[in-house]
Amino acid sequence: NAGVTQTPKFQVLKTGQSMTLQCAQDMNHEYMSWYRQDPGMGLRLIHYSVGAGITDQGEVPNGYNVSRSTTEDFPLRLLSAAPSQTSVYFCASSPTATNEKLFFGSGTQLSVL
Amino acid sequence: GENVEQHPSTLSVQEGDSAVIKCTYSDSASNYFPWYKQELGKRPQLIIDIRSNVGEKKDQRIAVTLNKTAKHFSLHITETQPEDSAVYFCAALFSGGYNKLIFGAGTRLAVHP
């Protein structure tokens, strides 16, 4: 198993551009989530999904969209990039939506100029 | 709201000393509390977790305690070693809407030889 795979590893955008961060897992996990990590602010939940077709907002959802059309994939879309979205983004999955270990991807370093 | 507070933000100890990191959470219904360790440039990884039906859990040099009445839990690392140097995150599972894991802001632990 590859686990949780994120692409790209690094990305530079100009303000106003849009892009999609990809996340895929091959462990048949129901639960998938996106976090952003900023210095001194920990891991903040952006959006999450408890199964195909079901998504919900986390702590900081503004400026981001998600969809979950398959169990394996959970892409994160930046609609119009802003410098405030410069961050490290982590995708994570777990077998179910309740009290189980999160498996993290390796992260995407995004810079918005 | 859904909130996890973590203290201290930085912690410096001498090798062999103990380290304690404390977290409080806002929702008395939360029932799952994991701790993650993130080494520099790496993804977070689960090191220990505790559920609300127990007050303490140990795994070698690491222990976690939970006080549900006070809504706080702590990570204890004994006989610290330089390889314990990392950022540690606590988290709590919140069940408003679907279940979601909310993290504290992190503690940067430095263990000096």
Side-chain angles (χ1 to χ4, degrees):
Chain A
N1 286 352
V4 180
T5 303
Q6 285 184 241
T7 56
K9 292 190 181 302
F10 302 95
Q11 183 70 50
V12 179
L13 293 177
K14 294 181 179 179
T15 297
Q17 287 185 316
S18 62
M19 80 157 295
T20 299
L21 306 185
Q22 301 291 344
C23 177
Q25 51 89 12
D26 60 359
M27 298 174 283
N28 201 32
H29 284 176
E30 289 183 355
Y31 184 87
M32 296 186 74
S33 53
W34 278 101
Y35 290 88
R36 61 177 288 174
Q37 184 174 24
D38 304 292
M41 302 190 75
L43 294 156
R44 291 185 292 168
L45 182 64
I46 304 172
H47 286 284
Y48 64 106
S49 170
V50 298
I54 306 171
T55 64
D56 200 3
Q57 296 181 350
E59 302 168 273
V60 288
N62 292 341
Y64 307 94
N65 272 359
V66 292
S67 60
R68 184 94 179 270
S69 56
T70 67
T71 299
E72 295 79 18
D73 300 299
F74 191 45
L76 179 72
R77 297 182 187 84
L78 280 70
L79 309 174
S80 177
S84 60
Q85 293 179 305
T86 294
S87 188
V88 178
Y89 291 84
F90 285 101
C91 179
S93 73
S94 70
T96 66
T98 58
N99 62 10
E100 291 190 73
K101 174 182 177 180
L102 273 182
F103 293 78
F104 281 86
S106 58
T108 296
Q109 174 81 59
L110 176 67
S111 296
V112 183
L113 307 178
Chain B
E2 298 158 344
N3 188 45
V4 177
E5 293 194 359
Q6 183 172 348
H7 300 280
S9 57
T10 61
L11 182 58
S12 181
V13 300
Q14 291 296 124
E15 183 177 359
D17 288 349
S18 295
V20 180
I21 303 170
K22 299 181 179 181
C23 291
T24 60
Y25 57 97
S26 57
D27 186 358
S28 57
S30 294
N31 59 11
Y32 176 63
F33 309 93
W35 286 88
Y36 285 77
K37 175 183 180 182
Q38 186 181 30
E39 297 176 348
L40 189 62
K42 302 286 184 63
R43 71 194 76 186
Q45 295 199 314
L46 180 71
I47 55 171
I48 194 168
D49 57 11
I50 190 167
R51 291 168 174 76
S52 59
N53 57 345
V54 298
E56 183 175 4
K57 184 177 179 181
K58 288 184 178 180
D59 183 2
Q60 298 181 3
R61 296 184 297 108
I62 293 174
V64 58
T65 58
L66 172 65
N67 183 328
K68 285 222 70 178
T69 302
K71 293 188 289 184
H72 70 71
F73 57 111
S74 300
L75 178 71
H76 305 254
I77 306 175
T78 59
E79 301 173 24
T80 54
Q81 301 168 3
E83 52 264 39
D84 295 329
S85 296
V87 179
Y88 291 81
F89 294 100
C90 63
L93 190 70
F94 290 87
S95 56
Y98 301 108
N99 285 339
K100 49 185 174 286
L101 202 60
I102 302 297
F103 284 81
T107 296
R108 182 172 299 278
L109 173 65
V111 180
H112 302 285

